[in-house]
Amino acid sequence: MSYIQGFNRKQAVLIPETIEQLIAENNPVRFIDAFVNSQDVVALGFKDIRFNKNGRPPFHPKDLLKLYIYGYLNKIRSSRALEKEYIRNVELMWLIKGLVPDHNTISNFRRDNPKSIKKVFRATVNIAKNLDLIGGVLLAGDGTKLRAQNSKKNNYNQKKIDRHIAYIETKLAQYCNALETADGDKKKVIETKIAKQNKHKKQYQAIEKQLKQTGEKQFSSSDPEARQLVIRGVVTEVCYNVQSTVDHKHKIPIDYDLTNNNDKHAMTSMVENAIEIVGNNTFDAVFDKGYYTAEQIHKSQKLGVTTHVCVPNPASNAPDKAYNVSEFIYNKVQDTYCCPAGETLKTNGNWYNKRVYRVKQYKTKNCKLCPVKNDCTKAKYQRIIERHEFAEALDINKNNISKNPEIYAQRQAIVEHPFGTMKRQWGFDHIMTKKTKERASADVGFIFIAYNLKRIMNSIGIDRLIKHIILFWLEIGIKKRLNKLLKSFEHLKKLTVYFIENASPKSTTKQIAYF
């Protein structure tokens, strides 16, 4: 049986005369090259822009930026893996013109430029806007957890420290009792164990001291700013929480932020950034129940945005569910509540400070004689309904969802689409860097840059994208030159006026004639 045969490795072959001929016209690396070349790296704030007079000059930030974008687009994030790749990869040889930076140079570039990387991401969003890929009508926000470079074992809180110290104290007591009857080699072994436990005790006490000094509730030894957060149900992981806002039109993220907190207080800042990016505040904002915080919803609505935040199932706060707070109807005009039994609950108008919000209290004297009192409340005398200062915002939000259920139904398809691609298809379910949240944000920034560029390439096509970038930057260049000429004319005009106003009458006539 015959098989398809490969070529003879020792046989001479004809190859293209230049490496340029090895790269197809519609190869994605050509778009990466055009995109990065169109960026002003000085304005973006990348380090190592200026060459040193002494010693070897640094690599240009554009070349390292191209290297990283190519790597993330091809699921390569490690600096050592990239170091191997550009030696054997023809596309990378073409992209960075045969340069061979070592893994330390590559790693330091990502470490030192988190803010500039965020600006490059914004540049991808601007391209999407210019190509009409962002609608700005419906935006969805959500967070996803990415594991940090820190194990649960090396994450500590006060409860865990107390448990460890209590265990050590128990062991020390046992060793001390054993030491009283031990002799010879056995005594030395016990003394060694005591010294070891005392060493561990000092380590835990040092961590406890650090927690008290910083006021933090957790400490992670490998990545100090990572936190143990709930992934789902009761499952926890030491991780970061990536917040992202995604436009519905082409599922393109327009903003991201790396936090070490849960979703509860992230909504307002996400909405504020979205308004600035899309240029309007008339869009619908969709969030899941993790963002259901009255103050955050109130602030977002004050910005002019229509909120659609999932309303959690109400807790049963009455012996019979038919008499839960959710069943009491509020009358805004009269500032009263009507209970399921038809009674009207009134307020004295005073505000009372609670743990989080100010509240008004509503009640009626008819509670005492009500036949369903025992089904409504366990209180001895009467049912008291509390309405906090942001309750109206929650009512508006609930009304938005009930009127347009199809809007909230799109949430998963919009915002979880990018997360699914990044974490499941690309395998970016953890943070590559460690030590600080800022370094971790650089890794996340490149993930979002790669996703946006991939999405734009799939939507528009590489040839059209390259033409768009060339024309766009030509237009910007022409505008800059025109502005420079206008400034020159304005300067010349001011000089003319100055000469006319400050020269003598005789010389003025000569100057006017000259001009």
Side-chain angles (χ1 to χ4, degrees):
M1 181 177 179
S2 61
Y3 297 96
I4 299 173
Q5 300 294 320
F7 62 81
N8 185 345
R9 295 190 183 98
K10 296 182 180 180
Q11 181 180 341
V13 294
L14 293 174
I15 61 172
E17 294 180 2
T18 64
I19 197 169
E20 173 72 19
Q21 293 174 284
L22 294 172
I23 307 301
E25 290 298 323
N26 62 346
N27 193 309
V29 295
R30 292 190 179 274
F31 171 56
I32 297 171
D33 187 57
F35 168 71
V36 175
N37 286 340
S38 69
Q39 302 303 309
D40 185 347
V41 289
V42 177
L44 292 174
F46 281 99
K47 294 185 179 180
D48 294 330
I49 299 298
R50 297 181 181 177
F51 292 96
N52 298 319
K53 292 182 180 180
N54 300 320
R56 187 185 180 191
F59 291 94
H60 198 286
K62 285 188 177 181
D63 292 317
L64 295 173
L65 184 57
K66 291 174 185 177
L67 176 62
Y68 262 117
I69 291 175
Y70 179 89
Y72 276 73
L73 276 167
N74 290 276
K75 307 176 188 178
I76 306 170
R77 293 195 288 170
S78 164
S79 57
R80 290 183 182 272
L82 286 170
E83 184 182 35
K84 291 179 182 178
E85 196 66 22
Y86 59 64
I87 296 172
R88 62 192 180 195
N89 189 317
V90 176
E91 291 179 341
L92 269 181
M93 290 178 192
W94 179 90
L95 186 61
I96 61 173
K97 301 173 184 176
L99 295 174
V100 285
D102 67 6
H103 60 270
N104 284 324
T105 302
I106 299 168
S107 177
N108 292 345
F109 177 78
R110 177 172 55 190
R111 181 197 68 190
D112 296 337
N113 296 289
K115 292 181 181 178
S116 301
I117 292 167
K118 180 72 175 277
K119 292 177 182 178
V120 175
F121 166 76
R122 287 289 172 86
T124 67
V125 176
N126 288 334
I127 290 176
K129 284 177 68 178
N130 292 329
L131 292 167
D132 196 30
L133 297 178
I134 293 176
V137 176
L138 174 59
L139 301 177
D142 201 1
T144 191
K145 311 296 193 303
L146 298 183
R147 288 181 292 108
Q149 295 289 339
N150 196 102
S151 67
K152 289 184 185 179
K153 184 180 178 181
N154 292 325
N155 174 267
Y156 304 94
N157 56 27
Q158 189 61 53
K159 187 177 179 181
K160 188 174 182 179
I161 293 168
D162 291 341
R163 188 170 67 249
H164 278 294
I165 291 177
Y167 172 80
I168 290 170
E169 294 288 359
T170 303
K171 297 298 290 184
L172 286 173
Q174 292 174 358
Y175 292 147
C176 288
N177 291 333
L179 194 63
E180 293 177 359
T181 58
D183 57 358
D185 293 339
K186 192 174 181 180
K187 186 175 182 179
K188 289 182 180 180
V189 171
I190 295 172
E191 287 174 345
T192 302
K193 289 181 177 180
I194 290 173
K196 183 179 179 181
Q197 292 298 331
N198 280 323
K199 182 182 177 182
H200 288 164
K201 184 179 178 180
K202 287 180 181 178
Q203 290 173 346
Y204 291 123
Q205 287 173 338
I207 295 170
E208 184 179 32
K209 184 179 178 181
Q210 185 173 345
L211 283 176
K212 289 178 180 178
Q213 288 176 344
T214 59
E216 295 286 345
K217 294 182 179 179
Q218 293 184 34
F219 171 77
S220 299
S221 59
S222 299
D223 195 344
E225 295 188 49
R227 296 290 179 267
Q228 189 163 357
L229 301 174
V230 176
I231 302 295
R232 62 184 177 278
V234 294
V235 180
T236 63
E237 190 63 73
V238 181
C239 57
Y240 286 104
N241 190 7
V242 182
Q243 300 289 337
S244 178
T245 309
V246 183
D247 184 80
H248 86 293
K249 192 172 183 179
H250 285 276
K251 316 297 185 294
I252 293 178
I254 63 169
D255 191 30
Y256 73 87
D257 188 29
L258 188 74
T259 71
N260 52 14
N261 301 309
N262 57 27
D263 300 336
K264 199 171 183 181
H265 300 289
M267 181 178 170
T268 303
S269 60
M270 294 169 74
V271 170
E272 287 174 343
N273 291 341
I275 290 171
E276 181 184 349
I277 293 165
V278 301
N280 70 73
N281 64 345
T282 58
F283 55 82
D284 291 277
V286 184
F287 294 86
D288 66 17
K289 62 184 177 183
Y291 296 85
Y292 192 80
T293 306
E295 187 177 7
Q296 294 285 306
I297 294 172
H298 168 76
K299 288 180 178 178
S300 298
Q301 290 175 358
K302 286 293 183 184
L303 294 170
V305 173
T306 305
T307 61
H308 300 261
V309 185
C310 181
V311 181
N313 293 326
S316 180
N317 48 22
D320 188 337
K321 291 181 180 180
Y323 298 94
N324 282 346
V325 173
S326 57
E327 306 303 319
F328 285 64
I329 300 170
Y330 178 68
N331 187 317
K332 184 179 179 181
V333 177
Q334 297 178 2
D335 194 18
T336 59
Y337 272 97
C338 181
C339 78
E343 295 291 341
T344 301
L345 285 72
K346 297 180 180 180
T347 177
N348 60 10
N350 293 331
W351 288 98
Y352 300 93
N353 291 321
K354 290 289 184 177
R355 189 167 60 92
V356 180
Y357 307 129
R358 295 186 307 152
V359 301
K360 281 183 181 180
Q361 294 184 343
Y362 298 78
K363 52 192 174 182
T364 177
K365 294 179 180 179
N366 296 336
C367 265
K368 297 177 183 179
L369 303 175
C370 184
V372 294
K373 177 180 177 293
N374 292 333
D375 295 327
C376 183
T377 180
K378 294 180 181 179
K380 188 175 181 180
Y381 298 108
Q382 60 189 165
R383 178 75 179 270
I384 297 175
I385 300 296
E386 291 184 338
R387 181 178 177 84
H388 60 72
E389 56 191 315
F390 304 121
E392 186 177 356
L394 298 185
D395 291 340
I396 293 170
N397 178 77
K398 187 177 181 180
N399 189 47
N400 292 339
I401 291 179
S402 61
K403 277 188 174 180
N404 302 288
E406 72 283 354
I407 291 179
Y408 183 78
Q410 299 178 63
R411 187 196 67 82
Q412 283 185 310
I414 298 171
V415 74
E416 294 188 13
H417 182 283
F419 290 149
T421 302
M422 294 170 187
K423 295 175 75 172
R424 295 297 178 91
Q425 289 188 15
W426 295 357
F428 296 166
D429 58 355
H430 63 282
I431 300 291
M432 282 289 294
T433 57
K434 60 181 180 179
K435 296 294 184 186
T436 64
K437 185 171 69 173
E438 196 172 45
R439 292 185 185 181
S441 71
D443 183 34
V444 173
F446 274 124
I447 294 174
F448 276 87
I449 289 169
Y451 179 85
N452 274 6
L453 293 181
K454 188 80 170 178
R455 195 75 181 155
I456 293 168
M457 282 189 283
N458 291 342
S459 301
I460 300 298
I462 293 168
D463 294 337
R464 185 182 165 191
L465 275 173
I466 293 173
K467 289 176 184 177
H468 168 77
I469 289 175
I470 292 170
L471 290 172
F472 179 71
W473 288 102
L474 276 174
E475 184 181 343
I476 288 178
I478 291 168
K479 285 180 179 177
K480 284 182 178 178
R481 290 186 180 91
L482 284 173
N483 287 332
K484 194 173 181 181
L485 283 171
L486 286 171
K487 286 180 181 178
S488 299
F489 283 129
E490 286 294 324
H491 181 65
L492 184 61
K493 185 179 177 182
K494 287 178 181 178
L495 282 175
T496 304
V497 172
Y498 175 80
F499 285 137
I500 292 172
E501 290 177 349
N502 294 280
S504 62
K506 290 182 180 180
S507 61
T508 301
T509 307
K510 291 179 181 179
Q511 289 165 359
I512 291 172
Y514 175 77
F515 282 108

